[in-house]
């Protein structure tokens, strides 16, 4: 059967982001060649030279340009080693696609195809020893059009073995997505070949040369390694695996990962943050911080690696029919993560405890609404980074709450039907479990509402205090806290905080804040005066019931707010807050009061009126209250009374009384959530 090289190349995938993979393949080949030569300890050596385009003519710097000047483009690489070289057996293997010559090393005989995916040509010159021990030099080229071409062999002028593989003509689509500096290329090469450095026997000396810069990978190893590696053997469904647990120095800009290896190469790396409770990045140690990594090797992975070595032909999840015997990626990953947990157990425990304390502290102090559902969130999902921000933690908990609510919605449809063959006891047990979940979610909603009230009280407390400039806030700020200005009920969705004044004000048919009377649907007049807050309560059912009679009744509430510690109250509607409230009430009644939908309310002139004045009891305000014949409260922080001429109940409330009253009404809820009430 003939092989068409160009077609074979076309069918060999190499993602454009993997432009260094051909170089890695050449270096791994050199590592294996050095090992096959069996050099004495410390004499194996590999040099990687980066070849760049000729230096361009000197150009004047662009004015204002910052940073280092751009480097010349990489056009190729030279890989030199003192391994066994291209002897007859190796050459024959090289000329045979899909060769199994080094199958015992996990090789598939297709690495050279990757060279021609990213490079135009490959030139090989190799000094090797023949069976008689004499050194020969073999040279040839390798291209997509001619394959292996120009093979020649002659006595070597050298006295030692030396092989050079030159990758030339770096293709633009790969070059543009490849690291540009010698340091980053050396780091990437080290990460790919890290297995060889931590294995028994180590790796030969490897050096990356970029112009005048020479980077020893042994030095990179020292920079990266936090401590010595620890190996562990593992059997998964009868297949042997070896894990290498590593602690890398925290200076490495990476996240914890597991590396899936085959044929002595890293095939893919997989981040494991979020897959192991307590692992969130760097790990603190008494000797400093480190980064965890685990390298996985196995004959099973060698057998199932794809030819281009960028993935595995292993199912993610085993088919149900073969789940007991067929090994899947999920099976391997689960077993590896369990082993990693055991290796990191002491560190993860401390992190989990700190993460749980972070959640508890946030829920207690900032988001008590999540308290009822914490018991229904798994420990894995509640394992957070102790340094997580309030925003991200709130988003995480909200996501969990949403998932619980979604599952309840699905479960709610199923709970209405008794299962086939299900006993009455079984159904009621399932129903009770469902209802307990519903109760937890509803408690969460209630906790969120109560916490909102606590925040509003704290904001109002701050708003009535004197500022750094010695002045008190204007009434507009306090107005916004109680009720957004220039809004009506149609503009709001439970955004008012009228419960601060009276819990009953939360239930109203129409509400207007700082709107001209002429714009309110509950009145029909052209007055442009603006009461602070007007609320209309409509009772569709009669308060007094007699046979065959209905008595619709409406109440009108007017709320006037003044700046804290204001002491300029005087006679007249423009200066007296009590007169202002009564004046607004009178004008509303004279305007033929209607519901928000435009329906007339019978005898609107008889509708009970409630006027609230929110202000501090300064001497001038106290005088106006006495002139209005109002009665002082027992704590002397307010006045109340009834004006028969206006048919209105009047209450003047100081800000302190307003806050204290609201806190007392909500104290039981705050205590239940563990919120401070002072």
């Amino acid at each position: 059967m003939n092989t068409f090289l160009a077609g074979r190349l076309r069918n060999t995938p190499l993602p454009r982001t993997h432009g260094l993979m051909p170089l890695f393949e050449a270096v791994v080949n050199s590592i294996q060649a050095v090992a096959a030569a069996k050099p004495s300890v410390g004499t194996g050596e590999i040099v990687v030279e980066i070849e760049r385009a000729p230096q361009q003519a000197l150009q004047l710097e662009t004015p204002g340009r910052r940073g280092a000047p751009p480097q010349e483009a990489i056009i190729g690489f030279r890989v030199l080693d003192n391994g066994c070289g291209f002897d007859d057996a190796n050459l024959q293997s090289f000329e045979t696609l899909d060769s199994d010559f080094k199958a015992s090393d996990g090789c598939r005989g297709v690495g050279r195809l990757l060279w021609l995916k990213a490079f135009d040509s490959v030139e090989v010159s190799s000094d090797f020893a023949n069976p008689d021990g004499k050194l020969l030099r073999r040279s040839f080229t390798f291209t997509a059009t001619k394959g292996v071409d120009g093979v020649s062999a002659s006595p070597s002028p050298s006295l030692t073995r030396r092989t050079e593989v030159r990758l030339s003509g770096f293709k633009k689509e790969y070059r543009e997505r490849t690291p540009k500096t010698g340091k980053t290329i050396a780091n990437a090469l080290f990460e790919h070949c890290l297995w060889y450095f931590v294995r028994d026997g180590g790796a030969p000396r490897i050096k990356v040369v970029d112009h005048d810069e020479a980077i020893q990978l042994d030095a990179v190893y020292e920079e990266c390694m936090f401590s010595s590696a620890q190996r562990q053997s593992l059997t998964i469904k009868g297949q042997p695996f070896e894990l290498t647990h590593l602690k890398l120095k925290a200076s490495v800009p990476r996240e914890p990962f597991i590396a899936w290896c085959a044929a002595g190469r890293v095939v893919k790396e997989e981040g494991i943050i979020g897959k192991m409770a307590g692992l969130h990045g760097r790990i603190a140690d008494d000797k400093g911080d480190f980064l965890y990594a685990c390298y996985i090797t196995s004959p099973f992975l060698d057998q199932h690696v794809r030819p281009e070595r960028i993935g595995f032909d292993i199912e993610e999840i085993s088919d149900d029919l073969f789940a007991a015997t067929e090994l899947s990626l999920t099976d391997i990953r689960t077993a590896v993560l369990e082993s990693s947990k055991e290796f990191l157990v002491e560190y993860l425990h401390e992190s989990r405890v700190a993460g749980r304390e972070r959640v508890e502290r946030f829920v207690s102090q900032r988001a008590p609404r999540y308290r009822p559902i914490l018991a229904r969130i798994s420990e894995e999902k509640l394992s957070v980074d102790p340094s997580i921000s309030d925003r991200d933690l709130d988003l995480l908990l909200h996501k969990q709450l949403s998932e619980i609510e979604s599952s309840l919605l699905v479960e709610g449809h199923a709970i209405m039907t008794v299962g086939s063959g299900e006993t009455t006891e079984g159904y009621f047990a399932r129903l009770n479990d469902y209802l307990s979940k519903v109760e937890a979610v509803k408690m969460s909603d209630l906790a969120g509402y109560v916490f909102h009230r606590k925040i509003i009280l704290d904001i109002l407390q701050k708003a009535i205090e004197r500022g750094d400039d010695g002045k008190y806030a204007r009434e507009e700020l306090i107005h916004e806290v109680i009720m957004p200005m220039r809004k009506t009920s149609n503009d709001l969705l439970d955004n008012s905080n009228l419960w601060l004044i009276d819990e009953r004000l939360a239930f109203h048919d129409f509400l207007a804040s700082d709107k001209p009377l002429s714009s309110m649907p509950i009145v029909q007049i052209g007055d442009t005066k603006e009461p602070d807050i007007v609320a209309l309560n409509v009772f569709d059912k009669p308060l007094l019931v007699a046979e065959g009679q209905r008595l619709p009744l409406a109440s009108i509430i007017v709320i006037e707010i003044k700046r804290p510690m204001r002491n300029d109250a005087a006679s007249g509607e423009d200066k007296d807050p009590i007169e202002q409230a009564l004046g607004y009430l009178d004008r509303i009644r004279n305007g033929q009061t209607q519901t928000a939908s435009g329906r007339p309310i019978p005898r609107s002139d008889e509708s009970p009126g409630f006027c609230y004045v929110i202000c501090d009891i300064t001497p001038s305000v106290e005088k106006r209250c006495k002139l209005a014949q109002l009665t002082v409260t027992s704590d002397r922080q307010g006045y109340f009374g009834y004006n028969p001429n206006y048919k209105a109940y009047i209450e003047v409330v100081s800000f302190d009384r307003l806050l204290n009253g609201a806190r007392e009404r909500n104290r039981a809820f705050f205590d239940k959530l563990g919120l401070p009430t002072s």
Side-chain angles (χ1 to χ4, degrees):
M1 182 178 295
N2 296 325
T3 299
F4 180 46
L5 179 58
R8 187 73 169 81
L9 282 172
R10 185 175 59 249
N11 296 328
T12 300
L14 179 63
R16 294 182 179 180
T17 55
H18 288 54
L20 288 180
M21 185 65 72
L23 173 64
F24 297 162
E25 286 290 324
V27 173
V28 170
N29 287 343
S30 290
I31 293 174
Q32 294 172 344
V34 170
K38 300 179 181 179
S40 58
V41 177
T43 60
E45 184 177 24
I46 300 172
V47 178
V48 177
E49 295 181 357
I50 300 174
E51 296 188 331
R52 297 184 181 274
Q55 190 170 13
Q56 301 296 317
L58 182 63
Q59 296 180 352
L60 294 177
E61 290 286 343
T62 303
R65 181 181 177 88
R66 296 181 179 179
Q71 292 183 296
E72 297 83 6
I74 297 174
I75 59 174
F77 297 93
R78 294 174 67 222
V79 180
L80 304 97
D81 67 68
N82 58 354
C84 63
F86 275 83
D87 55 23
D88 292 343
N90 280 319
L91 177 62
Q92 182 179 1
S93 173
F94 188 90
E95 292 179 315
T96 306
L97 291 179
D98 302 308
S99 169
D100 61 358
F101 178 64
K102 293 190 290 184
S104 60
D105 293 328
C107 298
R108 295 298 186 88
V110 296
R112 75 215 65 163
L113 294 177
L114 300 183
W115 293 352
L116 297 184
K117 289 291 290 187
F119 295 87
D120 292 331
S121 65
V122 180
E123 300 170 12
V124 177
S125 175
S126 177
D127 296 326
F128 65 94
N130 66 10
D132 297 333
K134 294 181 180 180
L135 287 180
L136 298 178
R137 173 167 294 179
R138 175 169 282 144
S139 302
F140 61 88
T141 60
F142 182 46
T143 61
T145 55
K146 296 183 178 181
V148 177
D149 186 51
V151 179
S152 66
S154 60
S156 173
S158 175
L159 300 178
T160 58
R161 287 190 298 259
R162 181 179 179 275
T163 296
E164 174 186 327
V165 175
R166 186 173 185 177
L167 308 176
S168 301
F170 203 5
K171 296 179 180 178
K172 182 178 179 181
E173 62 267 28
Y174 290 101
R175 183 182 70 238
E176 289 179 341
R177 294 167 174 80
T178 294
K180 303 299 187 290
T181 68
K183 181 63 174 176
T184 54
I185 292 173
N187 287 338
L189 176 60
F190 169 75
E191 292 171 7
H192 186 83
C193 300
L194 179 57
W195 159 246
Y196 288 100
F197 286 84
V198 300
R199 67 174 180 169
D200 291 333
R205 296 193 309 274
I206 302 177
K207 178 171 61 175
V208 176
V209 178
D210 185 15
H211 288 321
D212 297 333
E213 182 182 25
I215 304 164
Q216 298 284 352
L217 293 200
D218 284 341
V220 178
Y221 177 83
E222 291 299 326
E223 291 176 2
C224 292
M225 295 303 294
F226 181 84
S227 64
S228 59
Q230 180 174 322
R231 292 186 183 80
Q232 178 184 5
S233 296
L234 200 64
T235 301
I236 310 173
K237 289 187 177 180
Q239 295 290 344
F241 286 80
E242 184 174 274
L243 310 184
T244 303
H245 301 287
L246 299 177
K247 293 180 180 180
L248 305 177
K249 289 183 180 178
S251 58
V252 178
R254 305 187 59 184
E255 294 183 347
F257 64 94
I258 55 177
W260 302 71
C261 305
R265 287 100 160 154
V266 174
V267 176
K268 69 172 184 175
E269 292 182 357
E270 178 179 339
I272 54 177
I273 286 183
K275 300 178 182 179
M276 195 183 307
L279 184 63
H280 309 291
R282 299 178 180 181
I283 299 175
D285 186 89
D286 54 2
K287 298 179 182 178
D289 293 350
F290 69 87
L291 178 77
Y292 173 74
C294 178
Y295 282 73
I296 315 168
T297 58
S298 169
F300 179 81
L301 296 179
D302 292 342
Q303 295 164 11
H304 291 83
V305 67
R306 292 174 186 160
E308 63 278 5
R309 301 188 186 94
I310 57 174
F312 295 94
D313 289 324
I314 305 174
E315 295 293 333
E316 180 65 38
I317 300 176
S318 299
D319 187 273
D320 291 341
L321 293 176
F322 305 98
T325 57
E326 187 176 279
L327 195 55
S328 67
L329 290 175
T330 299
D331 295 330
I332 301 171
R333 184 183 299 109
T334 300
V336 170
L337 289 177
E338 284 300 319
S339 296
S340 298
K341 289 178 186 178
E342 295 177 7
F343 178 75
L344 298 171
V345 60
E346 59 178 302
Y347 308 108
L348 298 183
H349 174 72
E350 294 177 4
S351 179
R352 285 198 300 267
V353 170
R356 183 70 191 205
E357 290 176 351
R358 173 73 177 93
V359 172
E360 292 286 348
R361 187 166 60 253
F362 175 74
V363 170
S364 297
Q365 299 176 1
R366 305 286 296 172
R369 66 170 302 192
Y370 299 117
R371 172 71 62 193
I373 65 165
L374 286 184
R376 299 191 176 276
I377 304 176
S378 68
E379 181 184 357
E380 296 287 327
K381 293 181 178 179
L382 277 182
S383 177
V384 303
D385 187 341
S387 63
I388 189 173
S389 66
D390 284 354
R391 172 185 174 276
D392 290 340
L393 183 52
D394 199 0
L395 290 173
L396 184 148
L397 292 173
H398 186 269
K399 178 182 178 182
Q400 299 304 318
L401 174 60
S402 298
E403 289 180 359
I404 292 174
E405 290 176 331
S406 297
S407 66
L408 284 176
L409 183 62
V410 174
E411 193 174 344
H413 287 282
I415 204 70
M416 305 304 295
T417 305
V418 179
S420 177
E422 187 176 24
T423 64
T424 303
E425 293 79 5
Y427 173 74
F428 276 106
R430 186 160 58 91
L431 178 62
N432 288 333
D433 180 63
Y434 172 75
L435 293 177
S436 68
K437 295 179 185 177
V438 172
E439 182 182 10
V441 172
K442 295 306 177 185
M443 288 176 62
S444 173
D445 293 339
L446 177 60
Y449 179 67
V450 172
F451 186 69
H452 165 77
R453 288 194 167 197
K454 174 65 172 60
I455 294 296
I456 293 300
L457 285 169
D458 291 344
I459 293 174
L460 183 58
Q461 173 74 62
K462 193 69 176 176
I464 66 175
E465 294 175 353
R466 184 165 50 192
D468 295 336
D469 58 359
K471 298 180 180 180
Y472 290 92
R474 294 184 61 84
E475 49 263 41
E476 287 90 342
L477 174 59
I478 301 171
H479 197 303
E480 285 289 343
V481 175
I482 298 175
M483 168 73 189
M485 299 180 68
R486 291 173 175 77
K487 300 290 183 181
T488 70
S489 299
N490 297 330
D491 305 319
L492 299 172
L493 292 174
D494 298 328
N495 275 348
S496 69
N497 295 300
L498 292 174
W499 54 268
L500 287 163
I501 301 171
D502 191 323
E503 294 289 349
R504 292 170 295 180
L505 297 185
F507 305 96
H508 59 268
D509 181 67
F510 177 81
L511 181 74
S513 172
D514 214 43
K515 301 276 284 187
L517 294 178
S518 59
S519 69
M520 299 183 190
I522 63 172
V523 295
Q524 295 181 345
I525 60 175
D527 203 316
T528 59
K529 286 186 173 291
E530 299 179 357
D532 279 347
I533 301 175
V534 177
L536 170 69
N537 288 344
V538 177
F539 301 91
D540 294 328
K541 297 182 179 180
L543 297 179
L544 300 175
V545 179
E547 185 176 355
Q549 184 180 7
R550 293 177 61 86
L551 297 174
L553 183 64
S555 65
I556 301 173
I557 300 101
V558 176
I559 302 170
E560 187 66 28
I561 302 172
K562 296 301 178 185
R563 181 191 301 177
M565 299 306 295
R566 187 168 179 175
N567 191 28
D568 60 351
S571 178
E573 190 171 331
D574 290 339
K575 289 289 187 177
D576 188 336
I578 299 173
E579 286 190 44
Q580 286 178 342
L582 291 173
Y584 292 140
L585 174 65
D586 192 45
R587 281 188 287 276
I588 292 172
R589 284 184 172 142
N590 292 336
Q592 301 178 351
T593 313
Q594 299 178 348
T595 66
S597 60
R599 301 301 302 165
I601 299 175
R603 300 182 64 185
S604 61
D605 59 322
E606 297 294 329
S607 300
F610 296 86
C611 295
Y612 293 91
V613 178
I614 311 300
C615 64
D616 281 318
I617 310 299
T618 58
S620 63
V621 171
E622 185 175 7
K623 182 178 180 179
R624 304 315 304 170
C625 290
K626 290 179 178 179
L627 289 173
Q629 299 184 0
L630 301 181
T631 302
V632 67
T633 59
S634 59
D635 58 8
R636 307 196 63 81
Q637 291 186 339
Y639 284 83
F640 66 94
Y642 179 74
N643 188 316
N645 295 321
Y646 284 91
K647 297 182 179 62
Y649 297 89
I650 304 169
E651 186 169 356
V652 180
V653 184
S654 72
F655 288 109
D656 290 330
R657 180 178 176 84
L658 180 73
L659 276 169
N660 292 338
R663 284 200 174 103
E664 288 301 319
R665 293 194 305 272
N666 290 276
R667 180 181 295 276
F669 299 107
F670 295 163
D671 290 344
K672 193 71 175 178
L673 291 177
L675 299 174
T677 54
S678 60

